[in-house]
Amino acid sequence: MADTEAVVLVGGKGTRLRPLTISAPKPMLPTAGLPFLTHLLSRIRAAGIRRVVLGTSFKAEVFEEHFGDGSDLDLDISYVVETEPLGTGGGIRNVLPELTASTVMVFNGDVLGGTDLREILALHRAKHADLTMHLVRVSDPRAFGCVTTDDDGRVQEFLEKTQDPPTDQINAGCYVFRRELIEQIPEGQPVSVERETFPQLLGEGRRVYGFVDSAYWRDMGTPEDFVRGSSDLVRGIAPSPALDGLAGEALVHEGAGVGAGAVLVGGTVVGRGAEIGAGARLDGAVVFDGARIEAGAAVERSIVGFGARIGHRALVRDGVIGDGAVIGARCELLRGARVWPGVEIPDGGIRYSTDM
Ligand code: GTP
């Protein structure tokens, strides 16, 4: 598909995933053993697109160090760095000098999806659209951009994060642009496609279409979604061309040790060189490389950062443990607790219950 190039926006700070995003940009966090972005890039390649431009800003150097010229993924990747983040629209405008194709497929770099991208492109062409947006239906659309369409799929209205959504169709973070539209985005200044560009294009009467489907889709922006998405990849619920038919309760990487009687379920991932103690219970846990879960500890729907340690019989549920943090024996961390990198909580130092 030489007439189509891809742009992936990866310049965000990923504040909702702090503290994990203090040391690594969100699209590089490991998911099912690979930097998250690898899953998206493989999907782009599977759709026949070879040329990809990454719009970077926050921790820009990390991307090029890892992906280089893209040849490992049979892609041709180049990078454009924003010294100051320009937002989603500004980021797209900023990479324009690197683009030569007439059709540009733009992606938010934090979406895990199963849609066949060729179908979105086919609709874009069939409708002779100026812009085609991928839309998905969700049960609670309030946190997203709501998009209403008519019977022909033409977009009527775009409402970013509204309390009273008129539809359950939301912006899935993937768009096909006619190149000329990108040229019209103001240069060198912050622009939001969601708040400025899309409403403006609709106001001008442009041909904007929505592609709706029911394939797997998840925005990986929060710890809860990150944990679910990772677990879905391991269990084969979320498809990824970068993984070879993965489908199981747990994925244990090389060099990791799992002690006797440890239970690993719910799409748990154990990173390289991590250690899981005897009798530990991991349910939907994401354990990064070199972390240690000691004997009898329980980790549920939580992320344990690089080299962090969870002590003997401690419990972490719906939590995020930063890189190198230490959770002492018998501690309990529940309901969205976030521990910053390197912080050490002494044995029994945090409890939710008194029975011990
Ligand atoms: P939060 O701070 O948690 O909201 O995360 P975020 O900074 O990643 O923002 P958001 O999830 O809204 O961004 C959606 C996608 O656009 C992500 O892949 C971001 O990396 C990317 N993005 C957001 N802002 C910018 C920007 O200013 N420049 C570029 N190049 N990409 C951006």
Side-chain angles (χ1 to χ4, degrees):
M1 220 170 284
D3 64 333
T4 305
E5 290 169 328
V7 172
V8 187
L9 296 171
V10 292
K13 292 200 171 99
T15 51
R16 289 167 296 159
L17 268 177
R18 280 186 190 155
L20 300 172
T21 45
I22 292 173
S23 57
K26 175 167 60 176
M28 294 303 286
L29 291 175
T31 25
L34 296 169
F36 176 75
L37 188 55
T38 310
H39 302 293
L40 177 56
L41 291 174
S42 304
R43 207 152 64 88
I44 291 171
R45 187 67 196 95
I49 300 174
R50 256 196 112 231
R51 175 135 175 78
V52 180
V53 185
L54 295 188
T56 64
S57 179
F58 177 66
K59 297 204 180 288
E61 67 292 348
V62 180
F63 296 94
E64 191 160 1
E65 276 164 21
H66 184 86
F67 292 108
D69 64 3
S71 47
D72 286 357
L73 295 170
D74 192 27
L75 288 168
D76 169 10
I77 302 181
S78 59
Y79 305 83
V80 180
V81 185
E82 295 153 45
T83 32
E84 283 301 315
L86 294 170
T88 45
I92 299 168
R93 178 65 182 85
N94 198 49
V95 306
L96 189 66
E98 285 289 315
L99 301 172
T100 53
S102 53
T103 304
V104 182
M105 202 159 197
V106 177
F107 299 85
N108 281 355
D110 56 355
V111 170
L112 183 60
T115 302
D116 184 340
L117 303 174
R118 284 171 295 203
E119 291 182 23
I120 308 179
L121 284 164
L123 181 87
H124 181 74
R125 297 206 170 96
K127 297 292 184 189
H128 302 286
D130 292 313
L131 172 71
T132 301
M133 315 174 87
H134 180 211
L135 308 178
V136 288
R137 296 203 165 93
V138 296
S139 52
D140 183 2
R142 282 174 304 178
F144 301 95
C146 288
V147 185
T148 57
T149 47
D150 68 14
D151 292 344
D152 188 37
R154 190 158 176 171
V155 173
Q156 297 167 309
E157 213 177 358
F158 190 96
L159 297 157
E160 185 66 7
K161 300 186 177 74
T162 170
Q163 274 310 301
D164 193 16
T167 169
D168 62 355
Q169 290 180 169
I170 61 140
N171 169 14
C174 163
Y175 327 105
V176 186
F177 276 88
R178 187 193 289 276
R179 185 193 159 91
E180 295 85 72
L181 263 59
I182 301 179
E183 288 165 1
Q184 286 173 21
I185 299 174
E187 202 181 346
Q189 66 186 67
V191 178
S192 156
V193 274
E194 298 87 354
R195 292 196 161 76
E196 296 163 70
T197 313
F198 296 151
Q200 190 182 330
L201 292 173
L202 291 172
E204 290 170 4
R206 293 288 190 162
R207 293 177 67 80
V208 181
Y209 279 83
F211 174 89
V212 193
D213 74 345
S214 54
Y216 185 93
W217 184 86
R218 184 170 295 278
D219 173 337
M220 299 282 271
T222 64
E224 194 186 351
D225 281 310
F226 188 83
V227 163
R228 267 298 289 278
S230 172
S231 152
D232 288 347
L233 279 167
V234 172
R235 292 182 297 163
I237 295 168
S240 169
L243 300 172
D244 241 350
L246 205 59
E249 281 298 302
L251 175 62
V252 179
H253 285 98
E254 64 195 60
V258 179
V263 177
L264 276 53
V265 292
T268 285
V269 184
V270 179
R272 290 164 190 83
E275 288 293 331
I276 311 299
R281 183 178 163 79
L282 276 60
D283 187 350
V286 184
V287 179
F288 285 2
D289 294 356
R292 200 161 100 214
I293 315 293
E294 295 187 346
V299 180
E300 301 171 10
R301 299 183 302 266
S302 299
I303 308 156
V304 181
F306 296 101
R309 177 155 65 86
I310 311 296
H312 179 65
R313 288 179 54 214
L315 166 65
V316 180
R317 179 182 295 149
D318 300 312
V320 182
I321 311 302
D323 300 340
V326 177
I327 310 303
R330 303 178 313 282
C331 282
E332 292 175 344
L333 283 129
L334 313 176
R335 302 180 205 128
R338 293 176 194 234
V339 178
W340 248 241
V343 168
E344 297 191 14
I345 301 177
D347 292 352
I350 292 190
R351 307 277 308 163
Y352 277 69
S353 59
T354 51
D355 56 337
M356 107 169 342

